[in-house]
């Protein structure tokens, strides 16, 4: 998209709102954290509501990043830079959003299953979910069923996300889902699974709501399933 070197010469404060938002989309794409923080503050200073900055500038910018990641135009290192830039804006917005009571699109508890200590994929999914407007509670790696259950009880999320990178740890996802079923809790949560050795058939076989092949698909799927569930409730 834009040439990152140009951002140094650009006076963001001189841009009208619509051009500033467009520039933020480009700066997110290029992973320019300082510029995103500056532009976020500029919009707030101009009287923008925190929720509008989040939706129109940050979430929309990350949606574009997600599409190009899904389509193979961007790769993990570039998306990590974009997600880091998103975090710079979120650092300013998060306390304001909490103050104004702006609801997130939904809440996710996510962790890598017991026996597996891989976290790059999980971290990327967490960043993309946050970029899509979710509140994400990352409970870490090597998570056993009791820890998942405790986190679900504490945080009451819409979604449980589980990650595995080893074929030997994949079956533990079924252990967690079976335990939820046995306790009568399975229908309380949307369960998403992902990781390199998984596939759609495995996700169906263990009773997950969806298998997500990458972080961009995870964000799209999470958004769609939460919206569907809320439409049913309303």
């Amino acid at each position: 998209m834009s040439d990152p070197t140009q951002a140094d010469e650009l006076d963001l404060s001189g841009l009208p709102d619509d051009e500033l938002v467009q520039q933020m989309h480009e700066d997110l794409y290029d992973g320019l954290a300082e510029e995103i923080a500056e532009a976020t503050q500029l919009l707030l200073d101009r009287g923008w509501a925190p929720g509008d900055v989040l939706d129109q500038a940050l979430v929309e910018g990350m949606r574009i990043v997600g599409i190009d990641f899904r389509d193979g135009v961007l790769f993990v290192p570039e998306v990590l830079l974009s997600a880091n830039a998103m975090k710079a804006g979120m650092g300013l917005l998060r306390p304001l959003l909490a103050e104004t009571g702006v609801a997130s699109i939904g809440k996710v508890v996510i962790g890598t299953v017991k026996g597996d200590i891989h976290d790059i994929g999980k971290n990327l999914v967490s960043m993309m979910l946050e970029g899509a407007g979710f509140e994400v509670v990352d409970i870490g790696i090597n998570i056993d069923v009791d820890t998942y259950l405790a986190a679900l009880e504490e945080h009451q999320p819409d979604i449980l996300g589980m990650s595995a990178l080893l074929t030997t740890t994949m079956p533990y996802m079924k252990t967690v889902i079976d335990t939820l079923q046995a306790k009568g809790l399975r229908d309380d949560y949307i369960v998403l699974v992902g990781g390199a050795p998984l596939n759609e058939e495995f996700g169906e076989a263990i009773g997950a709501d969806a298998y997500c092949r990458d972080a961009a698909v995870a964000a799209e799927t999470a958004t769609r399933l939460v919206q569907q569930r809320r439409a049913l409730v309303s």
Side-chain angles (χ1 to χ4, degrees):
M1 288 185 68
S2 64
D3 179 357
T5 59
Q6 292 177 354
D8 295 334
E9 304 161 14
L10 190 62
D11 178 14
L12 295 176
S13 64
L15 295 177
D17 288 6
D18 57 342
E19 291 182 23
L20 182 57
V21 169
Q22 180 61 41
Q23 185 62 43
M24 289 177 75
H25 296 166
E26 297 185 7
D27 287 348
L28 270 174
Y29 196 96
D30 294 330
L32 304 178
E34 289 185 14
E35 285 78 0
I36 290 298
E38 180 185 348
T40 297
Q41 189 60 56
L42 279 170
L43 288 177
L44 292 171
D45 290 345
R46 293 178 185 181
W48 276 54
D52 291 338
V53 180
L54 175 65
D55 293 338
Q56 296 179 40
L58 298 184
V59 171
E60 176 60 18
M62 286 302 289
R63 187 187 68 81
I64 297 165
V65 170
I67 290 170
D68 277 5
F69 177 54
R70 181 195 65 202
D71 294 344
V73 179
L74 292 175
F75 299 97
V76 170
E78 296 157 310
V79 177
L80 287 173
L81 284 174
S82 294
N84 189 56
M86 167 88 183
K87 277 190 167 182
M90 284 301 298
L92 295 168
L93 291 180
R94 193 175 286 110
L96 300 175
L97 290 167
E99 281 177 20
T100 55
V102 173
S104 65
I105 191 172
K107 185 186 285 189
V108 182
V109 163
I110 188 170
T112 304
V113 297
K114 183 180 178 181
D116 205 320
I117 60 171
H118 295 90
D119 66 355
I120 291 178
K122 170 184 64 62
N123 293 349
L124 190 56
V125 169
S126 295
M127 292 174 183
M128 289 298 287
L129 286 170
E130 190 166 67
F134 283 91
E135 179 184 350
V136 179
V137 180
D138 185 344
I139 57 175
I141 58 176
N142 192 28
I143 302 299
D144 62 23
V145 65
D146 289 338
T147 306
Y148 278 118
L149 290 173
L152 292 174
E153 183 176 357
E154 178 184 353
H155 299 289
Q156 296 295 308
D158 301 282
I159 295 174
L160 168 62
M162 292 187 285
S163 170
L165 199 66
L166 304 172
T167 55
T168 52
T169 59
M170 287 165 54
Y172 198 79
M173 293 176 168
K174 186 173 188 302
T175 300
V176 176
I177 293 174
D178 286 350
T179 304
L180 288 173
Q181 193 77 49
K183 291 182 175 292
L185 300 171
R186 175 62 187 88
D187 292 340
D188 294 347
Y189 309 103
I190 297 165
V191 178
L192 304 182
V193 297
L198 279 67
N199 56 37
E200 199 163 331
E201 291 73 22
F202 177 79
E204 289 178 4
I206 65 172
D209 290 290
Y211 151 74
C212 304
R213 64 180 173 84
D214 61 39
V217 171
E220 293 172 359
T221 303
T223 301
R224 175 173 52 83
L225 292 180
V226 164
Q227 289 172 345
Q228 285 177 0
R229 175 169 284 208
R230 291 188 176 168
L232 288 173
V233 171
S234 59

